[in-house]
Amino acid sequence: MEDGIRPHAWVALRLPSDLLKVLQIVPNTTISLGKYGSFQANHILGRPYHLTFEVLDKVDVSSQTALRIVHAAELNADSEEKDVLTPMVEDVKALQGEDGVEYVVVNPNGEVVMRTNRETIDDATRQKLTMEEIEEMKRSETGSGKDLVAKILKSHTALDEKTAFALAKYTLRKAKKYMRRFTVLPLDVPLLARWMLIEKEPMKIMEMREEILALMGSWSNVHYGGRYLVVDETGGLIVAAMAEKMGILHGGRPEEPTPANGIPSQSDVDISNTIGQTHQFSNASILEKTAMTAKTNTITLIHANAQPNLSLLKYFDFDPSNPSLHHPLHTHLKTLSWLQLLSPEEDVAYTEPEAVSAELLQTYKSGKRGNYYRKRRRWERVTSVVNSTRSGDFDGLLIASHMSPSTVLHHAIPYLRGGAPVVIYSPNIEPLAELMDLYSTSRRSAFLTNPPDSADIPSEDFPVDPRLLLAPTIQTARCRAWQVLPGRTHPLMTGRGGAEGYVFTGTRVLPAEGDVQARGRFKRRKAGAGYLEGTKDTVITDKANGDIAMGTGTESESTEKVEGDVTMEITEAS
């Protein structure tokens, strides 16, 4: 992430109402915040993130809307004022009425320090200011709204009857409504997921919460230097989370000079605007030659359409339809369709174009010759991606798809190396519960007792090979906001519902090849009045290739090795 706000960067503005507004900072434009006002985009260019600004209205027609930086001391002072309104009282006694309901709290001296709102009458007539007067004050107000909030509180005739908690809530509600402040936040993956889930269209990301996204990244062990296979139908949210962990999500813009004071001049803004509009290279040949060429630290995306849906990557300066040569995802993100993975010979892009000699190529017109080279580069890129994917040896598999998980795993698991984690997300638990049964111990035992031919998989009894995945687990996580107050601690009633979201995890294993047999001798020794269990002497023979697959036991006195059928005998040491 950059230290300062740069031209054409995507940022999130946190408004006083705690809502997020995601937008792109385009130089020489006006940014509107609705009822909170508007400001010039050039006023925040070059500034660091996490600063809080106040919107100041223009004093006359010739002046523009200005911004004032709210310093940390002022923000802390506001927070301390709120703490004063809600004191924490220790060792207090509750005075109870005849009906046994607590309605006042006193200290040991008998002074009332906390009241309930039992006798408070919430009536609109107790606010002397009308809506017309408040709107007139808003139009005449040139500050940030702090004075307006103070006037509204002063005009309330029953403010002294409110309890400390009711007064704090009332003040906070008015501040959220009339304070004209905003905070500039860098747009990262968790913030983008929260914005999509609460304020946009949660179905586009399959109602995936940020804690579920973090859980998937943890169990999949995504890190720098790995090769990962992913099936993502969340618009690119899973790909963005993986790329952030692998260090290839940011860096899509070329370096631009910044003045010493950190604030660009008008000429610098114009130059930056031109760079931002033309930083996408027009040389298509260079882009096609370098696309998807990385060998390590890569993400391979399998999709079911003609083009992958990666619309959310635009918030991180990457557009798959018009990529930038400077962005790491241009070379580290590889995409291919299910048709190219399973039956590449049926895909037109995998078929090699007809080769043309150099002499004949010179006779082509420039447009026809360019088209010929473009088809060759596309064929080379598709062939390279398909061949590298079908070679397998991936370090992990992440799935977030509406397709049946069993059908995806049947085709994708063979491309994983041994020990690779498998992580699957589903909004509902039913598809993952079915998957747990397919990889259960009983299903695996039935498969080993009467193993079917590999050509018969998938079948009705065995849609997948239960030997290829061990330790299947289903889990979930949800962070709930709680109100923590004396005697009234409970979850917030305004929490969002929707799908719970579940994660399936497992580990890819390689079943032993050949006819593996195990023989053991179990011994018991007396120890006192009872029996002391001994250790199991194991003999394992691999008749297929003469290798010893596994052996366990105590210290051995002698071993015997025979050519052909290799036998390992372990006897207990005396």
Side-chain angles (χ1 to χ4, degrees):
M1 302 292 291
E2 291 94 352
D3 296 332
I5 304 172
R6 297 197 173 191
H8 302 279
W10 287 90
V11 300
L13 304 183
R14 186 173 60 200
L15 303 178
S17 59
D18 292 333
L19 296 178
L20 295 176
K21 185 179 180 65
V22 177
L23 48 85
Q24 189 178 24
I25 306 301
V26 181
N28 302 327
T29 59
T30 301
I31 298 176
S32 176
L33 300 180
K35 66 179 181 179
Y36 299 108
S38 59
F39 63 94
Q40 296 295 320
N42 293 354
H43 291 170
I44 63 175
L45 287 177
R47 302 286 187 182
Y49 286 101
H50 303 285
L51 284 182
T52 300
F53 297 89
E54 281 185 353
V55 181
L56 305 178
D57 284 337
K58 54 187 179 182
V59 181
D60 50 48
V61 179
S62 60
S63 62
Q64 294 181 343
T65 304
L67 294 180
R68 183 181 74 87
I69 298 178
V70 183
H71 296 283
E74 184 176 351
L75 294 174
N76 294 335
D78 295 342
S79 177
E80 292 175 359
E81 291 178 1
K82 297 176 183 178
D83 294 339
V84 172
L85 295 176
T86 58
M88 298 300 295
V89 182
E90 299 181 358
D91 299 330
V92 299
K93 293 183 291 184
L95 182 63
Q96 296 183 352
E98 297 179 356
D99 53 357
V101 179
E102 176 184 311
Y103 66 94
V104 69
V105 179
V106 299
N107 59 13
N109 298 328
E111 300 175 353
V112 177
V113 295
M114 187 183 304
R115 297 187 302 274
T116 66
N117 58 359
R118 180 181 179 183
E119 300 179 355
T120 301
I121 301 176
D122 192 4
D123 191 358
T125 59
R126 297 199 170 192
Q127 175 58 256
K128 297 303 182 182
L129 291 177
T130 62
M131 288 301 302
E132 291 75 12
E133 293 174 342
I134 294 177
E135 291 296 330
E136 181 62 29
M137 293 172 62
K138 288 172 59 179
R139 286 190 291 268
S140 61
E141 183 74 31
T142 59
S144 62
K146 193 173 183 179
D147 296 337
L148 179 59
V149 174
K151 293 178 181 179
I152 293 176
L153 294 177
K154 187 177 180 180
S155 63
H156 199 289
T157 59
L159 202 63
D160 55 342
E161 298 180 5
K162 291 183 177 293
T163 65
F165 302 108
L167 179 59
K169 290 182 178 180
Y170 182 80
T171 306
L172 182 60
R173 186 168 65 251
K174 297 304 178 183
K176 287 183 177 181
K177 187 175 182 180
Y178 297 108
M179 292 291 287
R180 307 176 64 185
R181 293 178 178 178
F182 67 91
T183 304
V184 184
L185 303 175
L187 188 61
D188 53 9
V189 177
L191 194 62
L192 178 62
R194 191 184 320 157
W195 176 64
M196 289 290 298
L197 183 67
I198 298 177
E199 303 181 30
K200 293 296 287 183
E201 300 177 80
M203 294 303 298
K204 285 189 175 181
I205 59 171
M206 300 178 64
E207 302 186 72
M208 183 180 296
R209 302 185 304 276
E210 53 183 312
E211 52 266 28
I212 289 290
L213 195 62
L215 189 66
M216 293 183 65
S218 176
W219 278 103
S220 60
N221 193 26
V222 177
H223 59 276
Y224 177 83
R227 295 175 64 243
Y228 298 95
L229 202 61
V230 58
V231 181
D232 184 7
E233 294 184 8
T234 63
L237 186 64
I238 299 291
V239 173
M242 297 174 62
E244 191 174 39
K245 289 179 173 291
M246 299 168 66
I248 56 176
L249 181 61
H250 304 286
R253 291 184 299 273
E255 294 294 330
E256 303 164 10
T258 304
N261 58 3
I263 303 176
S265 61
Q266 185 63 36
S267 60
D268 293 334
V269 170
D270 294 337
I271 295 175
S272 299
N273 193 10
T274 304
I275 294 176
Q277 294 175 355
T278 61
H279 78 279
Q280 303 290 350
F281 279 74
S282 58
N283 194 340
S285 61
I286 298 179
L287 288 173
E288 293 180 357
K289 288 181 181 178
T290 57
M292 309 181 188
T293 55
K295 302 299 182 183
T296 59
N297 198 39
T298 60
I299 301 174
T300 303
L301 173 65
I302 309 176
H303 57 89
N305 303 315
Q307 296 294 333
N309 180 13
L310 299 172
S311 57
L312 295 183
L313 293 183
K314 72 175 184 179
Y315 297 108
F316 305 100
D317 303 309
F318 181 75
D319 185 4
S321 60
N322 189 18
S324 170
L325 190 62
H326 293 277
H327 205 289
L329 288 178
H330 175 62
T331 55
H332 293 269
L333 176 59
K334 303 181 180 182
T335 61
L336 75 161
S337 65
W338 283 106
L339 178 63
Q340 293 172 344
L341 178 65
L342 303 180
S343 301
E345 63 280 352
E346 299 180 8
D347 186 69
V348 179
Y350 191 78
T351 305
E352 181 178 4
E354 181 181 357
V356 178
S357 61
E359 294 78 7
L360 182 59
L361 193 60
Q362 293 297 327
T363 61
Y364 287 174
K365 294 182 179 180
S366 58
K368 187 176 181 180
R369 186 165 54 250
N371 189 27
Y372 170 78
Y373 283 123
R374 185 163 50 253
K375 289 182 179 180
R376 295 290 300 184
R377 287 192 296 265
R378 179 189 177 189
W379 169 75
E380 292 173 357
R381 181 180 69 253
V382 171
T383 303
S384 175
V385 172
V386 171
N387 293 341
S388 63
T389 304
R390 291 172 65 89
S391 64
D393 202 30
F394 284 93
D395 297 318
L397 172 64
L398 287 87
I399 300 174
S401 173
H402 296 285
M403 296 186 293
S404 175
S406 60
T407 59
V408 176
L409 290 181
H410 171 68
H411 298 290
I413 278 190
Y415 298 110
L416 303 180
R417 64 169 178 82
V422 176
V423 180
I424 305 174
Y425 167 78
S426 175
N428 306 311
I429 196 174
E430 286 78 10
L432 302 185
E434 179 184 356
L435 203 60
M436 285 286 295
D437 175 66
L438 297 180
Y439 288 102
S440 61
T441 304
S442 57
R443 184 86 59 160
R444 186 165 54 252
S445 300
F447 186 93
L448 295 176
T449 303
N450 187 17
D453 295 336
S454 58
D456 297 337
I457 302 176
S459 62
E460 183 179 357
D461 294 331
F462 302 104
V464 293
D465 190 344
R467 302 173 303 167
L468 303 183
L469 204 64
L470 289 184
T473 307
I474 296 179
Q475 51 193 301
T476 185
R478 179 184 283 270
C479 298
R480 301 183 186 274
W482 283 62
Q483 171 184 289
V484 182
L485 292 174
R488 59 191 79 178
T489 299
H490 59 78
L492 294 182
M493 299 295 102
T494 57
R496 184 188 179 277
E500 181 70 17
Y502 298 89
V503 175
F504 173 91
T505 61
T507 303
R508 165 79 159 108
V509 293
L510 303 176
E513 299 293 340
D515 185 12
V516 179
Q517 299 177 356
R519 303 190 305 272
R521 295 188 298 272
F522 193 82
K523 298 180 180 180
R524 291 176 178 268
R525 293 178 299 174
K526 288 186 178 181
Y531 286 90
L532 177 63
E533 293 189 355
T535 58
K536 188 175 182 180
D537 301 335
T538 306
V539 179
I540 297 177
T541 304
D542 190 344
K543 296 182 179 180
N545 49 21
D547 295 334
I548 299 176
M550 176 177 59
T552 58
T554 59
E555 294 182 7
S556 61
E557 290 182 339
S558 62
T559 59
E560 180 182 358
K561 185 174 182 180
V562 182
E563 296 296 335
D565 290 344
V566 180
T567 302
M568 183 177 186
E569 295 185 0
I570 303 174
T571 58
E572 183 182 0
S574 58

